[in-house]
Amino acid sequence: MSTTTLEVFESYIDCRKNKRSTPSALTFQSNLAANIRELTHELNSGTYEIGQSRCFAVMTPKPREVWAASFRDRIVHHLIYNRIQESFTKSFSAGSCACIPGRGALYGSKRLERMIRSGSENWSKRLYYLKMDISNFFVSIQKDILEALLIKRIPCDWTRALTLQVLHHDPTSNYVISGNAANLAYVPAHKSLFNAPQFMGLPIGNLSSQFFANVYMDVLDQFVEHKIRPRGYVRYVE
């Protein structure tokens, strides 16, 4: 199985929704038909190579390192996502409110309120809760574990190979610094992908990383809900 120019074009449409006015999107759009055909050919012939990423730091709410893939690579991320997300998300825990369509901050807050109301008998009884955070999450993700979780749910060899190409790509091998380069110095060393072992870490800022993170964390979600079985459970990402 391979892809088609129509599928690549549809992935382009998804990709440009929030990136339409960026320089890379405008450059790709300036010769759209040829660029779609070229990307389709590369994907089908096995010659597709992941391009240069932009690395920059955001300072609020705290300094963190962000990696932005090139526009054509983002199209590939959407293509992968469109192919595989349904088989995963339909079995995700209802308590997961992290970057899943229809499960944003409002969904999470309403779910939490329902659980509190139920557990406290409509605010009439004291209720205890446990709030936890995963330290250095994206940098600490182990790619071999994530690969095993992905491949068992992706039956198509072509899609699986492309997914693993994106998963194992190291953006620190080909990047350019954008924005205020001095801000990167404020990112703690242990939170930087530059310092992560080769088999660990996902770049913050890409659709693929957001989705892969949910696949990774679903193991915890299922364990908490079906083994620990608390009266309520909500997982959210800042």
Side-chain angles (χ1 to χ4, degrees):
M1 186 176 181
S2 56
T3 188
T4 64
T5 53
L6 177 59
E7 184 180 27
V8 175
F9 177 75
E10 290 172 343
S11 301
Y12 156 77
I13 294 297
D14 292 338
C15 183
R16 75 169 187 171
K17 286 179 181 177
N18 298 316
K19 304 290 181 182
R20 173 174 269 172
S21 61
T22 62
S24 58
L26 293 173
T27 299
F28 191 90
Q29 185 177 315
S30 66
N31 196 12
L32 181 60
N35 286 331
I36 292 290
R37 288 195 301 270
E38 181 181 14
L39 181 54
T40 304
H41 171 73
E42 290 179 14
L43 289 168
N44 288 335
S45 64
T47 58
Y48 166 72
E49 295 183 357
I50 298 173
Q52 189 177 70
S53 295
R54 288 187 304 110
C55 178
F56 58 95
V58 295
M59 304 302 290
T60 56
K62 53 189 176 182
R64 60 175 179 157
E65 186 181 274
V66 178
W67 295 84
S70 69
F71 186 76
R72 77 196 306 264
D73 291 334
R74 288 176 178 269
I75 294 173
V76 174
H77 297 170
H78 278 272
L79 187 151
I80 293 171
Y81 178 80
N82 291 342
R83 283 195 169 203
I84 70 175
Q85 65 87 16
E86 185 177 358
S87 66
F88 286 92
T89 56
K90 66 182 181 183
S91 62
F92 280 166
S93 162
S96 174
C97 314
C99 303
I100 299 175
R103 299 195 204 175
L106 181 60
Y107 171 93
S109 60
K110 285 186 174 181
R111 177 179 172 83
L112 180 60
E113 181 183 9
R114 288 196 305 271
M115 292 174 175
I116 294 174
R117 282 185 177 276
S118 175
S120 65
E121 297 184 10
N122 204 26
W123 314 103
S124 65
K125 293 185 177 181
R126 180 174 292 183
L127 191 67
Y128 294 92
Y129 70 93
L130 175 65
K131 180 181 179 181
M132 298 184 293
D133 183 35
I134 299 178
S135 179
N136 312 321
F137 172 62
F138 276 91
V139 176
S140 64
I141 288 175
Q142 292 188 220
K143 292 183 179 181
D144 57 341
I145 294 176
L146 182 52
E147 175 179 336
L149 295 172
L150 287 166
I151 61 176
K152 68 180 181 181
R153 300 281 292 275
I154 306 176
C156 171
D157 292 340
W158 185 90
T159 307
R160 188 188 309 123
L162 184 60
T163 301
L164 296 184
Q165 181 180 1
V166 171
L167 169 63
H168 290 292
H169 174 69
D170 177 10
T172 67
S173 65
N174 184 11
Y175 69 94
V176 61
I177 302 295
S178 67
N180 187 346
N183 286 342
L184 286 168
Y186 293 96
V187 178
H190 63 282
K191 292 181 178 290
S192 172
L193 209 58
F194 288 106
N195 301 314
Q198 187 176 6
F199 62 91
M200 295 180 69
L202 295 180
I204 297 175
N206 294 331
L207 172 65
S208 55
S209 296
Q210 294 174 357
F211 179 72
F212 291 162
N214 271 330
V215 174
Y216 196 77
M217 287 300 294
D218 187 58
V219 178
L220 173 65
D221 296 338
Q222 300 297 338
F223 176 79
V224 171
E225 294 202 331
H226 298 292
K227 297 296 183 180
I228 299 178
R229 302 180 67 182
R231 297 188 65 173
Y233 176 71
V234 175
R235 180 173 63 81
Y236 188 68
V237 61
E238 294 184 1

